[in-house]
Structure formats: C-alpha cells, structure tokens
Amino acid sequence: MSVYKRSFGLTAAGESAHIYRLENRNGSYIEVTDLGASLVTVAMPDRDGKLTDVVLGYDQAEGYERGDAYFGAVIGRNCNRIERARIQINGRTYQLTANDGENNLHSGPDGYERRLWGEQEVDQQRNSVTFALSSPDGDQGFPGDLRIMVRYRLSDDDEVSIHYMGSSDADTVVNLTNHSYFNLDGQDQGSICDHWVAINARAFTPVRDSGAIPTGEILSVGDTPMDLVKGRRVGMEIDADYDQLKCMGGYDHNFVCEGYRKGRTRVVARARGPRSGITMEVATDLPGLQFYTGNFLDGQVGKGGHIYHRRDGFCMETQYFPNSVNDEGFETPVLSAGKTYRTMTSYRFGVER
Ligand code: BGC
C-alpha cells in the first residue's frame, strides 16, 4: 500500500492543488485532490484484469474549479435541495442563496466542491488521506463555525471508504455527500443505461415537481419504475410514462434505504457494468441515497478530452433526505453544538466474470 502526492495545477487564485494516489496490493488505485476533496480516479480491474477508471472527472484542477457537474466532489454544508433556500434553526430563520430556481442546491454557488481543503494527514500504513476544511459562522448563510474532516481510504480488497467528521460551535445543518459519477464500464464508455442497478429501498421520497423538493411522503416503490430492490437494467423504464421520472428527466430521487439506525452501516445498493463486469457495492450509515442518472450532463469536457453526454454516469449520493431540515417527518440533518458529526460511506469494487 502506498500514497504518492503530486501537483494538480493551480487554482484561479494561484494556489497549488494536489493529487494523492492511493494504491493497494493488487495494483488498484484511487486519486483524490484537495480541491473540493474530490475523488478524481478509481482504477479497478475489469474481467480481463485491465485497470479501468470508473469515475467521471477532469484532468486538471481547473476543471474541478470551473465545472458545474460536481464530479467526485464532497458537497457541503448541505447536499441536495432546500426549499426556498431558507432554513430555521432554534426559531431563527437563515437565508441561503437560491441557485436552483427559488431553491438552494448543494449549498449554493460557493460550495465546498470549489474550495481548496487542507491536508490533515497522510497515513501510509492505512493507505488513507484526510482533508480538513474550516467553514466559518455565516458561510453560505449557515450558522456555526464548522470544522470538517474527510478521510479517503483504499483497502486491499478494493474498497474505497469515505469517513466524514465535523463539529460546530452552534447548532447547524451538516449533510455531506460524495458526488462521484460512476460508469463501471469506464468513464469514457458512454451511456450507463445498460448497467444493472439494485437499491435496497422499498420506498422513496417523491418530489412535487421539477423543482425536486420532496412532498414529504414516504412512498412505496411497489409496482413502479422506482422498484430497484431486486435489481434491473437502469434503462429498462427510465423513460416510462411515470410522472416522477418524467419531471426529472430520469432517476433523480432520494431512496429510503432499508435498515437505518444511527451509527449502523449496511449495504444499500449494488451495480454492475455490462461490458467490464466490474461490480460496485455501496454501504453507508446514512438513511437516504439520491440515485441520479446524470440526466443533466450535456457536453462537459472531461478526462483526456472525452465529452460526457446525458446519462453517461450515475451518482449514488448517500445523505439525509432532501429538504430534511424543513421537513419534520424526516430524520434531521441538524448537528447540535459540541456534538460530533460522524458518518461513512464506502464503495467496494469487484468483478463478475
Ligand atoms: C441532483 C441533480 C443535480 C445534480 C447536479 C444531483 O445531486 O440530484 O438534480 O442536477 O446533482 O450535478
């Protein structure tokens, strides 16, 4: 196991970004950058043993700084949407920036995904890198001085784990996720509609309309195209005449993952690339998973000049439910002052012959 660090170019402000390569015993490796604490590369063997990069992204820091698709980034302080860009904590109202119609998406234009995080620790033994970020009181409109750490680790059995830790001096929202887009056939292999995907969720949180704010219901997936419990080809019903899919242009919904209990990690989803045979298993201790099929990708110029089109990657963003800060029926994403935020999500790769 080993970790190597190199330059990843300069940010617009002239600061140096870095890339860290974590390699395991099998020769599989991942690359992460301090810019947005983003996951840049996940190189795993396909069924012929050929290393295949299964995440979409850019070649240089500049792409991550300018991009609009959140490739591989850590999203914070709150991922997903907040209705009318407004929250209330302890009876006080805080106004965030509306950047998705009247709503707030991924915390607004000044997201953590464009910030240069600090290097907290490189652990050669554990094959991990930890990034740290200070988000002051009032940052993005949120209360509380928040300090966060995100640790990426690659194990010898091809598991990429992401641990999130944080604490604040005032009650605040903390709902971090990773926004990697996966294509298990390879990041430049086009549509993911032939991938097989299973999500262990018997219910999802339907959205009101294309603004994508949940209605508050927990709706059964039974007899709908949202039933991914047993697994199916992503494209099978993605364009079905079904309101929830039509209004988002495909899957872009939060699934209510089975077996949620604070602090307990369980497998919530599985996927397989049809051509590479590469498989992925997602585990988390969080209650929800936004399954997003890259419906809004539209010509981003990525790695090696490859152009990403609609549905060329899918995201599995583990999270507290969208708009949960404003919805009393949902598990709260509010972190109390002095308490520690601690969650983890992992992606374990394998191959099916
Ligand atoms: C959202 C999509 C959004 C995308 C932006 C996802 O988390 O669910 O609606 O377009 O992020 O890349």
Side-chain angles (χ1 to χ4, degrees), residues 257-326:
C257 300
E258 298 302 317
Y260 173 68
R261 200 178 346 115
K262 225 178 174 63
R264 173 174 178 263
T265 301
R266 76 284 189 216
V267 172
V268 293
R270 293 191 168 80
R272 185 174 65 239
R275 295 195 294 275
S276 66
I278 294 177
T279 59
M280 181 173 87
E281 193 175 85
V282 183
T284 188
D285 53 12
L286 286 165
L289 179 145
Q290 183 87 4
F291 178 48
Y292 169 55
T293 44
N295 311 309
F296 302 118
L297 288 176
D298 60 352
Q300 283 78 3
V301 181
K303 295 175 190 172
H306 181 80
I307 297 177
Y308 301 121
H309 298 289
R310 182 163 193 243
R311 300 182 179 162
D312 278 0
F314 67 89
C315 303
M316 288 188 163
E317 303 155 57
T318 57
Q319 58 180 343
Y320 288 97
F321 300 173
N323 198 39
S324 47
V325 62
N326 291 318

Side-chain angles (χ1 to χ4, degrees), residues 53-87:
D53 181 6
V54 297
V55 291
L56 279 55
Y58 303 103
D59 284 328
Q60 290 288 329
E62 196 198 348
Y64 288 88
E65 208 181 4
R66 286 220 248 126
D68 58 357
Y70 307 89
F71 288 148
V74 168
I75 310 293
R77 195 177 288 200
N78 179 75
C79 64
N80 217 315
R81 285 154 176 103
I82 291 179
E83 186 177 12
R84 301 219 165 117
R86 201 174 298 151
I87 64 171

Side-chain angles (χ1 to χ4, degrees), residues 126 129-131 148-153 161-165 176 265 285 341-346:
R126 303 187 57 190
V129 174
T130 308
F131 298 118
I148 317 165
M149 282 187 280
V150 172
R151 186 175 73 223
Y152 284 96
R153 173 166 190 258
S161 58
I162 313 177
H163 281 85
Y164 304 84
M165 290 146 280
L176 308 176
T265 301
D285 53 12
Y341 173 87
R342 204 184 288 275
T343 77
M344 93 81 121
T345 293
S346 67

